[in-house]
Amino acid sequence: MFTAKLSEKFDFGSTGRLIVCSALVGVVSGLVAVFLTYAVQFVEEQMVGVYAYAGIQWVSPLEKNDETVPGEEIRSRTGDHVANPFIAPQSQRDSFFGLYEFPRYGVIILLIPAIGGLICGLLVWSFAPEAEGEGIEYLVKSYHHRNGMMRFRSVSVKILATIATIGSGGSAGTGGPSAMIGGGIGSLLARNLKINALERRALLMAGAAGAIGALFQSPFGGALFAAEILYCSTAFEFPILFPCIIASLVGYATGELFSPKFQPLVLPENFTFFHVADVPWILPFTVAGILIGWFYVKLLHEIRNRFFSRIEIPEIFKPALGGLLLGCIALFLSPVRGSGYSYFQPVFDGSLSLNVLLCLIFFKILATSFTISSGGSGGLIAPSLFLGGMFGYAFGLLGQSICSVIGLPGLAPDPAVFMLLGMGAMLGSVGKIPLTATVLVCDMIHSYELLFPILIVNLLQLAVHSPRTTMFREQLTSKEESPVYLGDFSNDLLMRILIGDLKLHRPKPLVIPANTPLTDLMQLLAGSSATIFPVAEEDGSPRGFLFAGDVRSAFQNHGPYKRMIAADLALRQEMVLTQQDDLLNALKTMVRFSTEEIPIASGPEKREILFLLRKEDILRAYHTQLAGYQRSDDPEAV
């Protein structure tokens, strides 16, 4: 009696469990995000040693060398050719058609990204094809279409493939892969605890939130990311926000503990965040940003659809081809390699000229498209921030030139301010995550003074952009498109209809013995159209219920030789209704367990299952009853 009363007062069964699980997922996903960052950095450092062994030395982005300041035209020591501003002079030996210099052993710049792409292709297409590409797309797909299910194999493959791709110089970041890996950790925990699909989807996105919170050290940015990323419109997934906040806060704390401070930009103490003279430039800046963002998304998808999808070579070799094409660009513009975070500070300090910035904008888009569209494993968050920053600073320099020509230098925009605006606006508009992008940029500079301007530009670009102008193809335009939601009904009408009033006559569902092996379960599923199966012990007592989708996922994950029986997959949640329950309760049960069918029992003991109530039965009864009310309200029908 005391336990029952305590359970009524404190919801240990669902809310309490979800809070604890979200915190646990936040810790693990945060640790994995930190590990992935360190692993990528380690491989990148080893590649620098390989380049140095071949006689290639890059100019450090922060290096102030009078002969090799990026953006200045300097003459080579071997002739009248223009020297490469991103490669040390002692490494420059040959010229490209007498125009531009590159290292004599520059072929290694082509081979290393290609080898990294080949390793990625072998891992992905041999073990987990869903691990190719950005990572966020599969995360969103798992939420909408797979009830939060994600194979653990895809998590391990994603880690290795990302290290190979970015570590070898791929133009991508670790944000997307970290989100997918964190989501996989949440999905794995939910499956092991055998909780329902509603909580499984929440833990899936909580894992993503924890990873983003740890990676960018943004406690609220990670939570907003999980709630925004699912849709390419202004739709927002509020039900998952609370567990995602918990996971993101815990992930942030984990990242603070085990990784150095993430701050790619250090602002001077006397930095002016926004000036009245910058206001007139907001509109042309927004228009130009819309065009750049549209071109970015268009090229990203066109290279995938019209080149890599049509080229007739095995999928395993396509990331290698993407790496080779990336190397052709990196031969002359090394900043297109990797995430680009190391170039944020030099650009902010004015170390790159307008011509170099414009080249970097175009070729970074091209390099990112080659890396991601070919199937390479990497994220699009970092390249989007890089492009937005380069575009914003270039816009500021161009505005200063215009004001200088017309003799009004006092109206010139501040390039550094527009660099920050560009970072937030680009990521927010092409990723459809305006709130996330705004908070992430503010956390990167450790100041929220630009929150309002960044959000305004974000929303202006978002209002003009088509919902389909998004980097992530699996995003949906509204909640009505998501299989997660079953639709809106009149609650009063559904409450008046009892399940017993439907007079359904169907055969009893197949009862599966609790000790049935996994291989036999697959054979039973093949011969039945049902999605739920009661599981009973040898004495006939109910053990739980089995979802057909969970059986198929277990078979894909573990194979036919795994010693798994029906009892291992049976859910213990109470989802059985009786004929005395109304259709509103039935519909809520379907939404809670994300299923199209629920079992109906004969009596209060719920030991004998009479039939399975389907969603279509509820729809048919609802529309029949609704039509009856409409006819009775029609004066001509009386």
Side-chain angles (χ1 to χ4, degrees), residues 86 89 91 151 171-172 198 217 306 319 336 425 443 448 562-563 581 598 624:
F86 300 105
S91 299
R151 294 200 299 172
S171 178
L198 185 64
Q217 294 183 359
R306 297 184 180 273
V336 302
D443 283 339
Y448 278 76
K562 177 71 175 180
R563 292 185 177 179
D581 289 300
I598 54 173
T624 300

Side-chain angles (χ1 to χ4, degrees), residues 136-137 139-146 227-237 431-432 466-470 472-485:
I136 290 179
E137 291 188 346
L139 175 74
V140 175
K141 182 179 180 180
S142 298
Y143 182 88
H144 287 305
H145 303 287
R146 294 175 55 85
E228 277 190 307
I229 196 64
L230 298 170
Y231 303 98
C232 57
S233 63
T234 55
F236 198 84
E237 199 72 7
K432 307 304 179 187
S466 165
R468 301 316 309 175
T469 305
T470 174
F472 311 117
R473 297 169 297 171
E474 295 295 336
Q475 286 178 326
L476 301 181
T477 55
S478 64
K479 293 184 177 181
E480 287 74 16
E481 292 186 5
S482 176
V484 172
Y485 296 92

Side-chain angles (χ1 to χ4, degrees), residues 94-288:
D94 299 332
S95 63
F96 183 71
F97 295 120
L99 178 65
Y100 208 68
E101 291 197 344
F102 62 93
R104 178 168 298 171
Y105 299 103
V107 67
I108 198 168
I109 302 178
L110 307 178
L111 291 180
I112 287 182
I115 294 173
L118 179 61
I119 295 173
C120 172
L122 289 171
L123 288 170
V124 168
W125 295 104
S126 298
F127 300 102
E130 67 272 17
E132 62 94 19
E134 214 280 335
I136 290 179
E137 291 188 346
Y138 186 64
L139 175 74
V140 175
K141 182 179 180 180
S142 298
Y143 182 88
H144 287 305
H145 303 287
R146 294 175 55 85
N147 280 331
M149 298 292 289
M150 189 181 294
R151 294 200 299 172
F152 180 72
R153 182 190 303 176
S154 63
V155 172
S156 55
V157 170
K158 192 67 176 178
I159 293 175
L160 298 176
T162 302
I163 295 172
T165 301
I166 306 178
S168 62
S171 178
T174 57
S178 296
M180 175 184 165
I181 294 166
I185 293 170
S187 177
L188 176 66
L189 177 62
R191 288 207 315 272
N192 288 336
L193 295 178
K194 298 181 181 180
I195 60 180
N196 59 59
L198 185 64
E199 294 178 343
R200 187 163 61 228
R201 286 193 300 268
L203 289 182
L204 173 82
M205 300 311 295
I212 295 297
L215 185 64
F216 292 95
Q217 294 183 359
S218 177
F220 294 107
L224 291 173
F225 167 83
E228 277 190 307
I229 196 64
L230 298 170
Y231 303 98
C232 57
S233 63
T234 55
F236 198 84
E237 199 72 7
F238 282 101
I240 65 171
L241 188 58
F242 185 63
C244 288
I245 289 176
I246 295 173
S248 184
L249 287 171
V250 175
Y252 162 75
T254 304
E256 282 273 299
L257 185 62
F258 291 99
S259 68
K261 200 73 173 175
F262 176 76
Q263 191 174 7
L265 275 174
V266 179
L267 307 184
E269 294 182 0
N270 58 348
F271 181 73
T272 303
F273 284 93
F274 206 69
H275 195 269
V276 177
D278 296 326
V279 175
W281 296 96
I282 291 295
L283 185 58
F285 176 75
T286 301
V287 174

Side-chain angles (χ1 to χ4, degrees), residues 275-278 281 400 403-404 407-414:
H275 195 269
V276 177
D278 296 326
W281 296 96
Q400 287 185 341
C403 290
S404 178
L408 296 173
L411 297 179
D414 187 349

Side-chain angles (χ1 to χ4, degrees), residues 508-513 521-536 543-549 551-552 566 569-571 575 595 597-599 609 612:
K508 292 183 179 181
L510 175 66
V511 179
I512 298 177
L521 286 176
M522 288 298 297
Q523 294 178 359
L524 292 173
L525 262 60
S528 175
S529 60
T531 59
I532 296 179
F533 299 89
V535 178
R543 176 62 183 265
F545 294 89
L546 201 62
F547 284 85
V551 175
R552 295 188 183 96
L569 299 173
L571 297 177
M575 61 180 298
T595 179
E597 296 178 312
I598 54 173
I609 305 300
L612 297 177

Side-chain angles (χ1 to χ4, degrees), residues 316-333:
I316 289 177
F317 299 112
K318 289 182 179 180
L321 176 60
L324 185 65
L325 295 173
L326 165 76
C328 294
I329 302 175
L331 195 62
F332 307 104
L333 284 173

